[in-house]
């Protein structure tokens, strides 16, 4: 199981704390440091929809010029943005065997899916 995110993100920290407390083994992939591929983003997009991958509540999205935000109307544009600004990818994203199993952090949902 791999947890994708950014180390200094509070939501990612909460998820990692939950995983460690519940003794769930995982690897961590920091896409701010290690990057992410267009292929991986495309695979996730097909599983959960590109709209769910773009974090429109975050600072990175809010700091984008409105004209740039309005360009994100389809998967190709969303993937281009996520490659350029990895901070706009919703996090954490948990993947197991190539499948997205959780997106974001919700302790109750983690309990249902991971216990």
């Amino acid at each position: 199981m791999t947890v994708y995110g950014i180390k200094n993100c509070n939501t990612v920290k909460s998820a990692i704390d939950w995983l460690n407390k519940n003794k769930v083994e995982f690897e961590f992939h920091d896409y701010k440091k290690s990057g992410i591929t267009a292929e991986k983003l495309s695979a996730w997009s097909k599983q959960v929809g590109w709209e769910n991958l773009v974090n429109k509540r975050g600072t990175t999205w809010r700091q984008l010029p409105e004209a740039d935000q309005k360009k994100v109307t389809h998967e190709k544009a969303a993937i281009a943005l996520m490659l350029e600004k990895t901070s706009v990818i919703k996090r954490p994203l948990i993947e197991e065997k190539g499948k997205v199993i959780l997106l974001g952090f919700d302790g109750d949902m983690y309990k249902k899916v991971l216990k």
Side-chain angles (χ1 to χ4, degrees):
M1 182 171 84
T2 305
V3 176
Y4 290 85
I6 297 171
K7 203 66 160 178
N8 64 353
C9 168
N10 288 334
T11 308
V12 171
K13 287 178 187 175
S14 296
I16 288 173
D17 288 348
W18 189 97
L19 294 168
N20 287 330
K21 182 180 164 201
N22 288 277
K23 297 177 176 51
V24 177
E25 289 188 34
F26 64 94
E27 291 179 29
F28 182 73
H29 178 99
D30 187 330
Y31 41 64
K32 193 106 172 152
K33 290 181 182 170
S34 303
I36 197 73
T37 65
E39 293 77 19
K40 181 63 79 177
L41 291 170
S42 179
W44 291 345
S45 179
K46 285 173 183 32
Q47 292 175 49
V48 300
W50 66 265
E51 300 91 339
N52 293 319
L53 290 176
V54 177
N55 180 8
K56 292 185 177 181
R57 292 187 190 172
T59 305
T60 304
W61 176 264
R62 290 193 311 264
Q63 288 178 345
L64 284 175
E66 191 175 336
D68 289 350
Q69 291 177 359
K70 288 183 177 182
K71 290 179 189 171
V72 183
T73 58
H74 52 83
E75 181 183 60
K76 188 175 178 182
I79 289 174
L81 175 64
M82 290 185 281
L83 287 170
E84 181 186 338
K85 299 186 180 294
T86 55
S87 299
V88 82
I89 304 170
K90 183 158 177 146
R91 53 193 184 265
L93 183 144
I94 299 182
E95 181 184 65
E96 190 170 51
K97 298 177 185 161
K99 301 274 188 231
V100 175
I101 58 171
L102 291 164
L103 184 59
F105 176 69
D106 175 333
D108 292 335
M109 186 59 74
Y110 274 44
K111 207 178 288 186
K112 286 179 189 169
V113 175
L114 300 174
K115 284 273 180 161

